[in-house]
Amino acid sequence: MAQRLALQRLLSLPARGSLASHGRALGTSAGRRSTFNVQDGSDFQDRVVNSPKPVVVDFHAQWCGPCKILGPRLEKLVAKLEGKVLMAKVDIDDHTDLAIEYEVSAVPTVLAMKNGDVVDKFVGIKDEDQLEAFLKKLIGA
Amino acid sequence: MAFDMSQVKELFRSIGVEYYALELDATDDGASIQQVLVELTNQRTVPNVFVNGTHIGGCDATYQAYQDGSLQKLLGDNQITEPYEYDLIIIGGGSGGLACSKEAATLGKKVMVLDYVVPTPLGTSWGLGGTCVNVGCIPKKLMHQAALLGQALQDSRKYGWQYEEQVKHNWEIMVEAIQNYIGSLNWGYRVSLREKSVTYLNSYGEFVEPHKIKATNRKGQVTYHTAETFVLATGERPRYLGIPGDKEFCITSDDLFSLPYCPGKTLVVGASYVALECAGFLAGLGLDVTVMVRSILLRGFDQEMAEKVGAYMETHGVKFVRKFVPVQVEQLEQGMPGRLKVTAKSTEGSEIFAEEYNTVLIAIGRDACTRNIGLQTIGVKINEKNGKVPVNDEEQTNVPYVYAIGDILDGKLELTPVAIQAGRLLAQRLYGGSSRKCDYINVPTTVFTPLEYGSCGYPEEKAMEEYGKQNLEVYHTLFWPLEWTVAGRDNNTCYAKIICNKQDNNRVIGLHVLGPNAGEVTQGFAAAIKCGLTKELLDETIGIHPTCAEVFTTMDITKSSGQDITQKGC
């Protein structure tokens, strides 16, 4: 338990490079660090629900075409915000319980979460302007 | 008598009821007891069964009481009736199971569905939705469409389309696209079950006691569940040949639709519609395909139409090896695909056939998944020959609280819409106060071979058997789809016929069509046949021009006249 709290504090620090050693974040470049794949229910609890920073949750599926376009588009914009917002990716076939808990019917479904609450949501693909507005609202509000 | 006695004991054992058996021939005053029994019950024979003091009768009477529920009612007072966890548990999440579960849930019942796919010998598995969605109708029709598009590309040049490139087919792109679509369907079913508050378990269900099943998930975790009523909807899986090398090296339709590599030169073993449809689209995609047939094509279907289906496939590059059965499959080289050597024997002599293929697809039939779900524990009878479940016209098995729907029914059609209809109507009868039964008569079907074959009603042979050849009039015609004219495709190949019952106002009792879009053509006529379509009504119907379907409104040549039906022009 203590390990997880320490890790959490570490994750919220803007320090670069230290995360690469934990092997959870994707890649080592600054841009990719703010995005991670959710491993399981407790990982979601730690890194999303209990996250001190707002988190954008991208529910996607292997078989979903639009998801493959939205994912990278969203990741790019989240990276530009340099750690102010994190992005969690959830494959709904791997984590069906989580998807059902958050009432995901169609994909992509993106939730904006702050302090464990869902404060915003959209379903389906969006263009860059719409995504920027979505993210701005999340960090602003 | 001894047989009847053990039958009755077996019955009580199967429903978990303790019985006391007084063997009259083992008791000293057996004869006088027998006399008293006659006075009390008017029955001289044994077994003579009493339940909680009430006289039931002999073996037949006891079974009857069990069938109609009166036995259980008598036993009721003695049982500690614990409330059941669910109103309805359905084993099998395919076309039938899902339709039944959603209907029952809509009617306010507490429902559970168990669905579990035992992986194929090669390790293939799939998600919720059953055969149709994952390894049947859906991917089949999409691959058939891929092949038709290939044909359309060829035709397109005749219509003026000009392009330099040689068009090739990429198997992996097609499979990925189809699997993505299936993935969305699997998810859609999960969402719809959740929306209707149906509990879904991805677990293997089997009966352990009356009204109780054991559910085992992929990780081996076990849970137990009880319900007042059960529905068996476990479907079927492909049968193997039972020869050396079949399970290790051959694939079936269960594996084909998600095969991650192009199958290459393929041997299809079988003459079922699965075999012919698969052989058809594989050849349409440009592969070298051979079909090995033991005897006839499309058993159970109209044989004149079946032979025409085969003939078209043959003129379009599918090789047929008839009257042979494989005896051995050896692997020459491992790979994706590898190289296999198939040895086959003639059914009429000692001739041997041996040939090399990349892939061998076995499509010789499907077996019901009823042997390992504990049916014997609760006394549900199955047809030992084929594993299918005999039911009455309300889909009830010999055990009153257990019903069955879909492909596993003995003597019924193996079609998705039939299972869905049966499932829905069953739920409505159980919980909605309905008495409507599923109508299995005049169900239309279509075989999606390269040249499609649609039919509704009797095959010609069965009609002759049932009504007598002299009482039938068969109208028929060859036709040339307009779209095929410019494309320069086969004329005098597409064919349509209707079988009329002369003794019943020339009622249309069979309709068959071999041509493009046969499924779309047949659907409407199925409704007409349900309304009692006659030749006269068909003649009074004006056709839509130019279509293929309109041939049914202008058919005037009969088989009996012997007239030539070859088309000469417009």
Side-chain angles (χ1 to χ4, degrees), chain A residues 14 74 86 94 97 120 135:
Chain A
L74 193 52
L86 298 177
D94 291 340
D97 293 339
D120 204 354
L135 291 170

Side-chain angles (χ1 to χ4, degrees), chain B residues 508-519:
Chain B
V508 176
I509 59 167
L511 182 143
H512 303 265
V513 61
L514 180 71
N517 304 305

Side-chain angles (χ1 to χ4, degrees), chain B residues 268 270-271 291-297 320-325:
Chain B
V268 177
V291 181
M292 185 174 285
V293 178
R294 185 176 52 97
S295 64
I296 61 171
L297 298 178
F320 280 82
V321 172
R322 303 196 65 160
K323 303 214 168 102
F324 272 83
V325 279

